[in-house]
Amino acid sequence: MTAQITTLGELLTSAGTQWRAYDIGRRITKIDKKQFAQIETTQVPYPYPLAGHALLAIQFWDNQATQDPYVWFLKLPLDEQSKLVAASRDHFASMVIDALGTQLTGEAAQGKLDNNLYVYAPNANKLAAFNALLKTELKRPASQYYEYAELYFAQKLGLDQWQNLAVQGLADFAMRLEHGSNRDNLKACWSHLPAQVQSPLAAMLEHVAIGVELTEHLLSGLKTAVESEDLAASINYLRALSGSHSLGLIAEAVDTILDSSLAAQADLQLTITGRCWETLTDSLRLIKLMDCAAHNTEVDGLFESIFADLVAIPTLRPHVLALLRTENRSETLSRAIGRLFKR
């Protein structure tokens, strides 16, 4: 069996399972099977690298399945071109075959990969968001915590009654914004939410492709937060709208921050880098961000880590490398770039 299997896709298919792959490193993003096959055969780089790795969730189920699907959370190394290190993928596949044979599902398979070198545990927020997404995609009921969250955001309990909100309930609510009045209820109460709710909810919303109307609403709130130099609220607004398909509005949000005094804040620079990276194909916006990072003296190695993060993203790599040649840059940015080559 091993001789014919060269990819995880083939392994899953040959075991008789249906499967789906997601990136869960930056934002929970479905990877279609054709693209996944190209990634596995190193025809294309991994689109969403994070710290030199592909963080993947592979969901699979057998054709007779009535129970919830199985999920592998994998952390696979990438090379300097952000391509999958095939030897590590092969190693994982051989470990799976050794442990499970062709029987990837069922009770006998449970727990056998728990100590696998490539299996990792996502943080609680990411796990809750992923669980909530799967339930909506499989048209399964939300968790037991959803009802309380729905009532809370409908302001039927009082916004001070947040102590009983569960992270999973927030995730279920975020993934079900289009159900009933959820979206309108969120718009009505967002700016009044306690920080203890707004922050974790923003961490869920960044995985949701929110509509134009809600994006515009959050952008308007972001501008107010930036004007009043409210760092925490600005980060929450930016995270909450960063998953939107309205890239122009996200770009406007990033520009609002970069043109303000808050641009000097490392936490906002990192939020832009980690969640709004698609807007940085614009060379002026990229230079502005990198210039802010170069001027930051409070966080050691900030410029270098942002540079390393962005240059690894295939869609940004040419733009980041072009930055090394641009003449239109400050002395501080030039010095920071110079330091990259002395390491």
Side-chain angles (χ1 to χ4, degrees):
M1 174 179 168
T2 10
Q4 297 95 39
I5 289 173
T6 56
T7 67
L8 295 180
E10 287 173 12
L11 172 63
L12 290 155
T13 303
S14 69
T17 70
Q18 302 288 324
W19 59 276
R20 295 172 182 164
Y22 301 81
D23 173 73
I24 59 165
R26 290 182 175 272
R27 181 184 301 138
I28 299 172
T29 308
K30 196 170 174 181
I31 302 173
D32 73 51
K33 287 189 177 178
K34 184 182 174 188
Q35 186 184 22
F36 191 70
Q38 291 173 328
I39 289 166
E40 283 219 76
T41 52
T42 66
Q43 293 174 57
V44 298
Y46 190 72
Y48 317 109
L50 193 66
H53 287 82
L55 299 184
L56 288 161
I58 296 179
Q59 170 204 12
F60 59 97
W61 61 98
D62 60 47
N63 294 328
Q64 293 78 42
T66 50
Q67 64 198 77
D68 285 342
Y70 300 85
V71 181
W72 289 335
F73 293 110
L74 303 179
K75 185 175 183 178
L76 297 172
L78 304 171
D79 66 17
E80 64 281 355
Q81 293 181 303
S82 297
K83 288 186 174 180
L84 202 64
V85 176
S88 297
R89 186 272 323 277
D90 294 348
H91 187 210
F92 172 70
S94 71
M95 289 166 93
V96 170
I97 292 164
D98 289 347
L100 305 176
T102 56
Q103 193 56 50
L104 303 187
T105 59
E107 276 183 42
Q110 290 303 294
K112 288 203 177 169
L113 294 177
D114 283 356
N115 298 315
N116 188 286
L117 178 66
Y118 303 103
V119 171
Y120 86 109
N123 67 36
N125 281 350
K126 200 73 68 75
L127 202 52
F130 188 72
N131 285 338
L133 175 66
L134 290 200
K135 283 190 160 66
T136 58
E137 289 197 340
L138 297 166
K139 298 183 169 49
R140 301 263 172 99
S143 76
Q144 67 200 60
Y145 308 107
Y146 171 59
E147 192 180 348
Y148 188 92
E150 199 175 35
L151 290 169
Y152 177 85
F153 291 109
Q155 299 192 62
K156 291 182 177 167
L157 304 169
L159 294 181
D160 57 343
Q161 299 299 304
W162 56 267
Q163 290 88 345
N164 292 323
L165 279 170
V167 168
Q168 190 60 60
L170 292 176
D172 290 326
F173 180 80
M175 295 297 171
R176 286 171 163 74
L177 275 188
E178 299 309 313
H179 288 211
S181 306
N182 285 353
R183 186 185 58 211
D184 292 337
N185 291 343
L186 178 65
K187 278 173 64 181
C189 73
W190 173 270
S191 60
H192 310 295
L193 291 175
Q196 296 92 333
V197 177
Q198 199 182 76
S199 184
L201 181 60
M204 301 304 166
L205 288 171
E206 66 187 35
H207 304 296
V208 180
I210 60 172
V212 177
E213 191 187 329
L214 182 54
T215 310
E216 287 174 337
H217 180 79
L218 291 169
L219 175 60
S220 170
L222 173 100
K223 289 177 175 176
T224 304
V226 168
E227 214 169 280
S228 57
E229 299 188 347
D230 187 335
L231 177 61
S234 298
I235 289 171
N236 290 341
Y237 274 107
L238 188 60
R239 290 184 75 173
L241 61 77
S242 66
S244 171
H245 283 328
S246 308
L247 199 56
L249 296 176
I250 300 173
E252 195 178 330
V254 171
D255 290 341
T256 299
I257 290 162
L258 291 177
D259 290 336
S260 77
S261 60
L262 288 181
Q265 298 290 332
D267 285 349
L268 268 170
Q269 293 167 22
L270 290 167
T271 304
I272 292 168
T273 304
R275 287 152 181 101
C276 308
W277 72 92
E278 294 110 324
T279 67
L280 300 174
T281 52
D282 179 282
S283 59
L284 291 178
R285 190 174 296 122
L286 177 64
I287 286 174
K288 210 176 272 190
L289 171 69
M290 297 309 289
D291 194 60
C292 290
H295 277 85
N296 190 301
T297 54
E298 289 174 21
V299 180
D300 195 39
L302 180 71
F303 178 84
E304 290 82 355
S305 66
I306 287 179
F307 183 92
D309 189 38
L310 295 179
V311 80
I313 300 172
T315 51
L316 288 184
R317 189 176 178 84
H319 302 279
V320 178
L321 293 177
L323 190 71
L324 304 179
R325 298 185 298 274
T326 185
E327 291 168 13
N328 179 26
R329 63 192 196 203
S330 69
E331 184 58 36
T332 304
L333 180 53
S334 292
R335 279 200 304 274
I337 288 170
R339 285 199 302 275
L340 292 171
F341 297 100
K342 289 177 185 162
R343 297 179 79 205

